[in-house]
Amino acid sequence: MTYDYNNQYQTSYGAQGGAGGGGFMGGSQGGGSQESPSKVWGKDTLRPVTIKQILEAQQPHPEADFKIDGTEITQITFIGQVRNISAQTTNTTYKLDDGTGLIDVKQWRDQDASSMDADFPTASKKPKIEENGYVRVFGQLKAFNENRHVGARIIRPITDFNEISFHFLEATSVHLYFTRGPPEQQQQQQQQGGAPGVGQGQQEGAPYGQQGSEAYGAGRTTTILLSPGAKRVHQFLASAPQSNEGLQCDFIAAQLGMQIADVQKAGDELLANGVIFTTVDDFNWALMEF
């Protein structure tokens, strides 16, 4: 798998006959003045996504390609659990759920393949797709009357459940690439972001409670509004020497000259915002590092 996502994303999912594009032939381009379907499938990239991303994909106008994270998509792949199977004369519709949303996937029947299977029943034994089983889909996002579905080229059952975890990690990795840049760029931004616990609007070394309204973990860039008491506790946790067990509520209260009840209230606020976490018990806290 390569991480050059600028229309050069390549991966291999074992799509039974495909390579480097999840079953789509990379060099199949037709001639002539008009662009054939095979040319479209050959030139575009394969994007691992979640169903939530599919449902939230943007389409500037009905004839335009869909966009996820501001980047055009044509071929997509995702994993989901089969909630329902509806077989019809011309196609089979699967309702898939991946924990982030539900979407219909349509796979059109290949009449030639069906005839061959009837004539040679033992020639091709495809794994059976069953309800409540997990499958991987390769296809295109479609929209008809404002209803979205995926037109599947390939649907295959998941036999190794590690593939489910891998897919979500890969979809997250690609999403972060397009929204935050490549890993090298992220590392540079973190190195330029300042010391841990010091955020925008804060002055390093200023008295407790006089910093700005942002609280940060190491390298964190998300602004969190905190009460004055929570700011003091957060700054103390960020600067005080401590072990992996963090610091105890009573100790923090004694060092800051605060009431234990006020420190506990501040700790609850920091825990709710995901800035700190409990260690050996509910009253030992350590700073969350990002």
Side-chain angles (χ1 to χ4, degrees), residues 66 95 98-99 149 211:
F66 286 93
K95 185 173 287 293
D98 71 347
H149 72 275
Q211 289 82 5

Side-chain angles (χ1 to χ4, degrees), residues 101-139:
L102 290 164
I103 197 167
D104 288 337
V105 177
K106 295 182 182 294
Q107 186 174 42
W108 297 93
R109 295 182 181 274
D110 187 338
Q111 298 299 331
D112 294 336
S114 299
S115 300
M116 182 177 294
D117 291 342
D119 295 337
F120 304 97
T122 61
S124 176
K125 293 184 178 179
K126 297 181 180 179
K128 186 178 180 181
I129 298 175
E130 299 177 343
E131 289 189 12
N132 298 319
Y134 285 86
V135 296
R136 180 180 280 280
V137 177
F138 300 86

